[in-house]
Amino acid sequence: MTFTAAPALSGSVAVPGDKSISHRSLMLSALAVGESRVEGLLEGEDVLATAAAMRAMGADIERDADGIWHIHGVGVGGLLQPETALGMGNSGTSTRLLMGLLASHDLTATFTGDASLSKRPMARVTEPLARMGASFTTSPGDRLPLTMRGACPAVPLDYRLPVASAQVKSAILLAGLNTPGITRVVEPIPTRDHSERMLRGFGAELDVEVEADGTRIITLVGEAELKPQQIVVPGDPSSAAFPMVAALLVPGSQVTIANVGLNKTRAGLIDLLREMGGSIEVINPREVGGEPVGDLAVTASALKGVEPDPARAPSMIDEYPVAFIAAALAQGRSVFRGLEELRVKESDRIATMAAGLRAIGVTVEELEDGIIIEGSGGAPLAGGGPIATKLDHRIAMSFAVAGLVSRDGVMIDDMAPVATSFPTFVPLLRTLGALA
Ligand code: S3P
């Protein structure tokens, strides 16, 4: 598919439900006894992989005609042995969180994934979960496909995260749910806190202590009992990032993105774009389902280059690809560092973005832990392609946005991965008038 120079974008749109919260809604509801209801669930392939896995282990999960999801859980510790391998598709979150959940259940499960997921490191979860008593047979390099055997009872863990990862934190906390005693996770650099908020919401005894230097100490009392909940999932800020950057870059645009999750642990891109000179206004800030939410009014703006503090990385970890597109249109040079985690996402996002940006005429220097981008000062990018998206939804959407501000258009080799997180991406761009 080729994306070409767009006229000014206008209108009001809403993005689908938050992916992180959607996964957790299904997993925690599947562990509560009784019926939970989830409104606004992201119906993307990644979340549907989680739903299929929870069904395969005994939860009853149905979507009604109004789009509300109804989940009857089995109780903490009640998951059943799945009869076939759990197909995780492209979803690292499904894989790592479910490995945690199963680590304290008396069952054996095999996880498989697509070519992208099968390249991603799993030692970051197998190592702590093995200390809790689970055992793993992995493919070379601690990768998928892998088979795990849970431990019941598991041994509670006191763990300091060696990498800033909400998936690793969440895997350990989920394992702790069915583990006698207290599971403790020490998080030196804060990451998204949806697991903590939701575990508490479901009735688990969970405490967070924040030390003077910002280190978070999370304690969870095991053998928890979860109570069914009514959940409203806010719009995904990681999906809102694409129309947000598009509206800033396409001259004359004025766009409203409704119902966007604004949790501080996720909102780093908004801060960054504002520092670059972007006009983004939060309208009607409110709370939905225990999460801060607002509508974003975005007006096209001239941007300037930045050198963002790497400490901000976890709060916008999934937004760097589209932030690099914003930098490519900014005035001056941007230097992004401290981003080694980007090399183990759905693709190596430093290498994939560097190659794609070069292919559309942007001058970049790839660093071990980041990238240096020379901005065009607002002049359209040359364009070209096809861009190799490497089964990475966020690469595809980032270069689609680049196409809207290009001279010759940007061709994307494969838009199919977009269905993992943002199935309505192309129709949403059409609503804004971005597509011919
Ligand atoms: C996620 C955590 C992040 C993020 C991913 C979703 C989550 O991964 O990139 O898209 O829902 O916990 P890491 O924990 O690997 O940083």
Side-chain angles (χ1 to χ4, degrees), residues 398-412:
S398 297
F399 282 102
V401 170
L404 306 181
V405 282
S406 67
R407 190 188 62 208
D408 300 336
V410 172
M411 186 199 268
I412 314 291

Side-chain angles (χ1 to χ4, degrees), residues 19-20 24 93 96 124 164-167 192 317-318 345:
K19 183 153 73 71
S20 293
R24 289 158 172 82
T93 310
R96 296 194 179 118
R124 55 181 60 199
S165 165
Q167 292 179 356
R192 66 191 68 196
I317 194 67
D318 292 337
K345 294 295 181 187

Side-chain angles (χ1 to χ4, degrees), residues 135-139 143 145-149:
S135 53
F136 297 87
T137 309
T138 66
S139 297
R143 297 194 157 86
L146 69 74
T147 297
M148 67 178 288
R149 164 107 219 122

